[in-house]
Each structure stands twice: as structure tokens, then as C-alpha cells.
Amino acid sequence: MSGDPKFSISRNSAHFPPPFKIKMVENIKRTTREEREKALKTANYNLFKLDPDDIFIDMLTDSGTTAMSDQQWAGILLGDETYAGSRSFSKLYDAAKERFGYKFVIPAHQGRGAENILFPCLVDRVKRKFDADRTAPVFISNYLYSTTAKIVRMSGGQCENVVIEKSFDTSYCYNWKGNFDIRKLGEKIEEYGAKAIAAIVVTITCNNTGGQPVSMENMREVCSIAGQHGIPVVFDACRFAENAYFIKEREEGYKDAKIADIVKEMFSYGDALTFSAKKDGLTNSGGLCCIREDEELASDVKGLGNTIEGYFTYGGMAGRDMAALAVGLEEVVDEDYLQYRINQVRYFGEQLLEAGIPILYPIGGHAVHIDAGKFAPHIPVEQFPGQALANELYLEAGVRGLELGSLNAGRDPSTGLQKPCPLEQVRLSVSRRVYTREHLDYVARSVIEIHQRASSLRGLKFIYEPKTLRQFSADMCPV
């Protein structure tokens, strides 16, 4: 395993038992290979279309799949469903202000809803202040997730990703593979002109590069550059607590810091945030758009939200869900929980690594990403090696993963050509407080079994290809 000698990641992670006990269980059904073959064919080889009863272990996503705590369920029972200004909103406002330090807290039905009320306002701000006929306002990010990039384009903007090049060397050991390339960030600002930049979006952790963290030093640099040019900094805060734990674990000067204090410092370098509560909110629904102190921007966002999300003290969330989120924002910064969480994922990844499976390394916070291009090098990019591997894992074990590669990247909307994709991946997300080590052992053994016959995997082609976000609804078949 190559890497920068200044950085090292501990292997053979210690076993940290869960800091919780189980009060309720949900039965899951094991199926036969024959049953899975039939189910996958019925789904046209698109794992999004599987019936949940045909899935044994679901690792498609960590979004909205959390097992909530007894305190969160108690909050649900006490939820206030008053339309405007509910007690549940007051609790959520206080919890979010305490966690992030931002003055304005605007609920949304999920993270995409938060983006959909913030991004158009940032685009309009650029157009109002400057020439409306100029190049579409630009959002520069370390790496925008596919749905976030789509919302940028729907809002009238365009996207640029400037994550460091080390991120795409899956075997290279570097602590901060979510970092911005500061040189490229400066070049993009110069290329488009600062006035054309709607926002710099800091994605924490960086999903497309394997749930990799952004260092505090890098955030500080981004904030400084943005400030020099008058550009707002927006956090995509989905996995903020996991990012904070990596800072405590890896970055000089933070070993003895409290997670809550690290979180506060992180967000001190931003002007706004969007947040899917379905990740580090430890809930099954909901989201937030928070704005530090820009009253005009907050007014614009509330106005748009009133139209497409709901009144700004609920924003598409039920009062009971806001109550659960208020509790989740407190529980997620518990260091015992985060230590268990990060090391559970690390344990899973280390099993694959030790068996010679090519994975993105270091292991991220919420998932293990298999390098499908190296796993099945005989499958060309246009036949989607990641999807081929994900499908085979389902057939082998009833485990549903997610392709993050050329299928997910889609086509360039201006040319219709396949977008170049730096990595062909399969993401195996670990839901929070849901699966045991035995579940992860089973998945690891299944991946290892497939790796021994990887040369037999076949690529896929389209039967039906949607124009946008094709990964969700495409129909495919083996080549």
C-alpha cells in the first residue's frame, strides 16, 4: 500500500462494542439464487427497482436507513403538529443553532429540498448583481454528488469539481482525500471571474471519493480564498459528524478537542449549509438549510421554500420528525457513538483489503467503496463494470450495493456524450445502528468469493436510458 510517509492509518481496527443495546428487531428474509436471478431480471438489472422483500442486506445507501434511538421515538410521540411555529420547530431551531452556530434555520423535506430552495437564490443573486446574459453562475466544489449537480443545473448554474488528484488513486494512503485542490480552486475563480461564482460548496465527507474527510486546514484555506473574492461558502453537511471525528483522529491540534467544538469550528468557515437529516441527523427523513447571518438570503430562501417545500417553520417535515431530528443532532456528536461507527465501517473494509480486494483507501466514514475498474478490468467503461459487480453481489448474496461510476455520472447535457468518470466504484454503505459484525462478515465473504471468479463477470447495456439521473430508472441487460 503506497502513501505519503507523513500520513498513516491504523490497520486492524480495535473492536469497539456498540454503545447501545437492541430493543426491537426487524426480520429479514434470505432468498435462493434462483429467486434472486428472477428478481433481478424483473428489475431489468437495475438494483433500484428491486422489491425490498427480495433484499437480504441493503447497502444501497446510508440515507434514511438509520435505526433511531428510544429518545428519538419518545420525541416523535411528543411531536407538535402545529402548522406555524410549532414546539417541535422551536426544539429543532435550538438544537440546530447550538450544533452549527447559524442564525437562520429553515427545515426542508430532505437535503435535496434544502438545495432546491438555496441554490436558485444564489443563482438569482449573481444574475441580479451582474450581467444576466453572462455565463451561467458557477458552483465550485471539492465534489458535488450527482443529484446535487443536477439541482445546480436545474437552478440555472453550472458545476466544477476541484478535489485533489490523490483522491483518484484508490490505493494511495492520504488522510484528506476529500480536500479541495487549492491551486485548481484559484484557477477556476480566475477562469470564470469571482462575480460569476454563485458559491463554493464544501462536501463533508466527500461522498464520491469514498466518504473521505476534508481537513480543517483545507476548510480554512477555502474560506480565506472565498472571503478575498466575496464568494459565499456553502457546506453540504450530510456527514458532518463523521468528518469531525476524522479531524479529531488525524489532524494535529484536535486530539483533545470535543466533537461539538470541532463541528462549530468547521461551520465557522461557511456562510450557509444544506443538510440531509437522513445521514448524520440520525433520522429517516428531513433536511435543513441554515444561513449564518445573511438576512436577505434567508428571506429569499424562506420565500421560495414557502412555495415549494412548505411554511418555513416546517418545510415539508412533520412536527414529530423535527422532534426526532432535534434529538439526533445531539446524539450524533457523542464520541462513543462515532468511535463505534467509524470503526465498524473500518472493520468491514479491512477484511476486503486483507483479502486483496481493491478498495478506496483509507476507508471512509459511511461506506466501503470497491474499485470496480480494478476488480473487473476486462469490462469496458461503456459496459459499466460497477453495475456488473453490484448485480453479481446481489445474485451471490442478496446484498444490494450502489454503482458510483460511469452509469451514475451520466451524459454531458450539452453534448450528449458520456461524461468521463475518474473511478468505477461500487459503494457498500453501512446503515447507522442497523447491522452487526456478523452481517458485515457475510458481505465480506461474498465479495471475496466473487473476486475469485471476477473474470467471469459480464458487462451491461441499455434497453432504456433516461435523459437524466439514469441510474435510478434505466433498464439494462447483460451484454
Side-chain angles (χ1 to χ4, degrees), residues 43-46 379-385 387-388 391 407 411 458-466 470 474-479:
N44 287 316
Y45 299 88
N46 186 335
I379 300 177
V381 168
E382 60 272 18
Q383 293 181 9
F384 311 117
Q387 187 70 11
N391 283 354
L407 177 62
R411 296 183 183 274
R458 297 167 59 193
L460 296 149
K461 63 181 180 180
F462 287 113
I463 299 173
Y464 162 68
E465 181 184 1
R470 62 191 185 183
D475 293 331
M476 311 182 82
C477 67
V479 174

Side-chain angles (χ1 to χ4, degrees), residues 62-66 68 72 76 92 107-111 275-288 314-326:
D62 63 318
S63 180
T65 59
T66 296
M68 293 197 296
Q72 288 178 291
I76 283 176
L92 176 57
H109 77 278
Q110 65 178 66
F275 176 55
S276 171
K278 299 165 72 174
K279 284 90 169 175
D280 274 354
L282 300 182
T283 61
N284 305 128
S285 67
L288 296 173
Y314 77 91
M317 292 184 70
R320 57 184 175 269
D321 293 327
M322 289 192 285
L325 175 53

Side-chain angles (χ1 to χ4, degrees), residues 239-275:
R239 300 173 180 89
F240 73 91
E242 292 170 8
N243 200 98
Y245 185 84
F246 282 124
I247 289 173
K248 180 179 177 67
E249 183 182 61
R250 300 177 184 178
E251 193 159 359
E252 186 176 354
Y254 292 93
K255 179 181 179 181
D256 298 320
K258 295 180 179 179
I259 294 293
D261 292 337
I262 295 172
V263 170
K264 276 277 183 69
E265 183 180 347
M266 282 163 43
F267 289 110
S268 74
Y269 300 124
D271 301 290
L273 66 86
T274 60
F275 176 55

Side-chain angles (χ1 to χ4, degrees), residues 123-137:
V123 167
D124 288 346
R125 173 173 283 194
V126 172
K127 290 183 175 180
R128 286 199 309 267
K129 289 185 177 181
F130 309 107
D131 183 0
D133 296 326
R134 66 185 301 147
T135 301

